[in-house]
Amino acid sequence: MNPAETPSGAGLTPAKLYGLLAEFETSEQMVEAARRAKEKGYTYLDCYSPYPVGEAADALGFPKSEMGTVMFLGGLTGAVSGFLMQYWANAYGYSLNIGSRPYFSWPSFVPVTFEMMVLTAALTGLFGLIAICGLPCYYHPLFHSERFARATRDRFFLCIEASDPRFDPVATREFLQSLQPLSVEEVPE
């Protein structure tokens, strides 16, 4: 039997295993568990908590976020396109000489350029976040766990996925239980 497969419910039909889910009472316990799992060599793991825990991202070894770069490029594109749009409209498309101002009167372009920069940076941030996070996600195997519903209220979870190269159902369960969680649960895929 594949180590990632385990007998389900009645033990008659093998069900594919998504991973092992450990439940902790405090965020400090979860962060320490994530740190020790990372030191043990697990790479496919994630933490779930009712509020953001900055130390968890450090313990998991998350890379620096790409959102700053994405939003900067979006804002820069919006500012340049807003500036060029005004220049084209004033100098070529609808050139009207108002008050003997030159057609390229750049100080009057600043408010629209700034607003275009803010608008495109915000929209790029919104859609970039959706794309990077893989949203919308209508299904996740962790939703099979009844205990996992408390991840939005008062519990902290660490999940080691079965796709991890070091994952072994027995050894990983023993490792998680050595961290003294409230529970360790198998999560079917």
Side-chain angles (χ1 to χ4, degrees):
M1 181 162 68
N2 183 343
E5 293 180 353
T6 184
S8 70
L12 298 175
T13 311
K16 195 152 172 123
L17 187 64
Y18 174 74
L20 289 173
L21 183 67
E23 178 183 3
F24 297 93
E25 192 163 357
T26 66
S27 63
E28 292 82 14
Q29 292 172 328
M30 177 191 69
V31 169
E32 180 59 25
R35 187 170 292 123
R36 288 183 54 192
K38 207 63 177 162
E39 289 171 0
K40 187 97 172 160
Y42 292 105
T43 53
Y44 289 76
L45 65 158
D46 210 346
C47 291
Y48 302 91
S49 65
Y51 52 84
V53 179
E55 295 86 14
D58 296 337
L60 293 172
F62 280 177
K64 186 177 175 195
S65 174
E66 304 159 357
M67 285 307 300
T69 305
V70 169
M71 290 182 70
F72 173 76
L73 292 176
L76 183 65
T77 301
V80 169
S81 62
F83 187 87
L84 292 177
M85 176 186 67
Q86 293 175 89
Y87 173 71
W88 177 83
N90 283 313
Y92 301 105
Y94 304 97
S95 54
L96 296 172
N97 191 347
I98 299 172
S100 297
R101 286 188 310 176
Y103 293 123
F104 182 63
S105 177
W106 69 266
S108 64
F109 299 170
V110 170
V112 173
T113 302
F114 177 76
E115 293 298 330
M116 285 290 291
M117 178 187 71
V118 171
L119 176 68
T120 55
L123 289 176
T124 304
L126 173 68
F127 292 113
L129 182 67
I130 288 171
I132 288 173
C133 291
L135 297 174
C137 179
Y138 300 111
Y139 169 78
H140 196 282
L142 290 176
F143 295 154
H144 287 297
S145 170
E146 290 181 19
R147 301 179 75 93
F148 188 70
R150 295 186 74 175
T152 59
R153 288 180 287 169
D154 59 352
R155 289 288 192 252
F156 302 87
F157 294 88
L158 172 68
C159 181
I160 298 179
E161 298 176 15
S163 57
D164 190 289
R166 291 189 54 90
F167 186 85
D168 177 73
V170 176
T172 303
R173 176 181 283 276
E174 288 174 359
F175 167 70
L176 286 174
Q177 286 176 336
S178 73
L179 302 173
Q180 300 176 341
L182 296 174
S183 68
V184 176
E185 179 181 354
E186 292 182 353
V187 179
E189 199 165 73

